[in-house]
Amino acid sequence: MSIRLRLLLAGLLILLLFLGFTAWLLDRAFNDYQLQAQRESMRLQQLLLARAADWEHGDWRLTGLDEARFDMLDSGLYAFIAEPAGGLLWSSPSAETFAANQREQLQAELHRLAVSAPEIGDDAFSTCLPGGAYYCYGQRVAWGSSGPESVFLIVQSETQMIAARGAYREQLLWLSLAAAALLLAAQSVIFRWGLAPLRDIAAGVRLLERGESDKLEGRYPGELVPLTDNIN
């Protein structure tokens, strides 16, 4: 195996390790960013829900919800108001089918939120429901002096986040492959340039063997001077 090939293989191995580790770090950073953005988005949704809510005649009334997905059946974004013990007091129109299919899991999640957020103003954010396929954000609130203590819960499917993460990973893969190709090409040029003095010595030795020259001509790097002096 030639020296150049050995250097290229060693460089390729180091490059793959470096790019793989870098891609892993970028993916982790993007995942953390997504979770933070998701929590903030759901917190804002909860504030919109609280702004639209009013306690009238022993019941919750919600008017003027600014998020259209709360009114779209099975939109992937659902809102609930519940008692701290888990009893459901109100749900958004989007959650009609969802609440019916996930009633037991929803009750369990509301109970978990009540434990995670025991005080007024406490909130909790996590993956939730079967298989962690949803994100839940809940906050315990007290509705003035006349309203009840309740839990405002936002539930959102992770489908959009998964799609965004998949698109990011695909883009990251292509960028990594392009960077690897460019760096390998650059390494090949550098190795060829670095090994040029050895090729010159080999060519000079062939001239000596054929009797076309009586010594090696030219200037060589300091590391090769002992070799060229011995040959001469």
Side-chain angles (χ1 to χ4, degrees):
M1 183 182 296
S2 68
I3 296 176
R4 183 165 178 255
L5 182 57
R6 291 181 181 182
L7 290 173
L8 283 174
L9 289 177
L12 176 62
L13 178 60
I14 294 173
L15 184 61
L16 290 176
L17 290 174
F18 173 76
L19 289 178
F21 182 67
T22 301
W24 177 77
L25 286 178
L26 290 174
D27 185 69
R28 287 289 301 272
F30 183 74
N31 183 61
D32 291 343
Y33 163 78
Q34 276 193 306
L35 288 176
Q36 292 175 3
Q38 181 70 24
R39 179 181 181 124
E40 180 62 18
S41 173
M42 296 181 75
R43 187 184 72 83
L44 293 176
Q45 298 291 353
Q46 188 269 333
L47 291 176
L48 291 176
L49 181 67
R51 190 179 70 173
D54 197 12
W55 179 257
E56 294 181 358
H57 309 298
D59 197 8
W60 283 105
R61 308 283 182 181
L62 282 94
T63 56
L65 283 172
D66 292 334
E67 175 54 72
R69 287 177 293 173
F70 284 141
D71 293 322
M72 298 170 57
L73 185 63
D74 295 329
S75 65
L77 180 65
Y78 314 110
F80 304 92
I81 303 177
E83 300 172 340
L88 195 60
L89 301 173
W90 177 89
S91 61
S92 63
S94 62
E96 181 178 345
T97 305
F98 177 83
N101 294 337
Q102 308 281 356
R103 182 167 297 276
E104 291 185 4
Q105 292 87 348
L106 189 58
Q107 293 289 339
E109 182 61 28
L110 287 168
H111 177 72
R112 187 190 66 79
L113 280 171
V115 175
S116 301
E119 303 293 334
I120 301 299
D122 289 348
D123 62 357
F125 169 78
S126 67
T127 56
C128 59
L129 303 179
Y134 296 86
Y135 290 101
C136 289
Y137 179 88
Q139 186 173 41
R140 187 185 287 247
V141 300
W143 204 255
S145 58
S146 59
E149 184 177 322
S150 303
V151 174
F152 281 35
L153 174 66
I154 305 295
V155 178
Q156 185 169 2
S157 170
E158 64 174 4
T159 302
Q160 290 183 340
M161 182 178 286
I162 290 176
R165 190 178 304 157
Y168 173 78
R169 286 175 173 172
E170 182 178 358
Q171 185 179 24
L172 183 61
L173 174 62
W174 285 112
L175 287 175
S176 297
L177 291 175
L182 289 174
L183 289 173
L184 280 176
Q187 280 186 341
S188 180
V189 172
I190 291 171
F191 291 156
R192 182 175 180 81
W193 173 71
L195 294 174
L198 291 178
R199 292 195 300 273
D200 293 340
I201 291 176
V205 169
R206 285 194 294 272
L207 291 176
L208 290 174
E209 290 174 344
R210 292 198 298 266
E212 298 177 8
S213 176
D214 56 357
K215 66 176 183 178
L216 293 176
E217 302 289 348
R219 301 181 62 182
Y220 297 94
E223 296 86 350
L224 297 179
V225 169
L227 174 63
T228 56
D229 288 345
N230 288 336
I231 293 175
N232 287 332

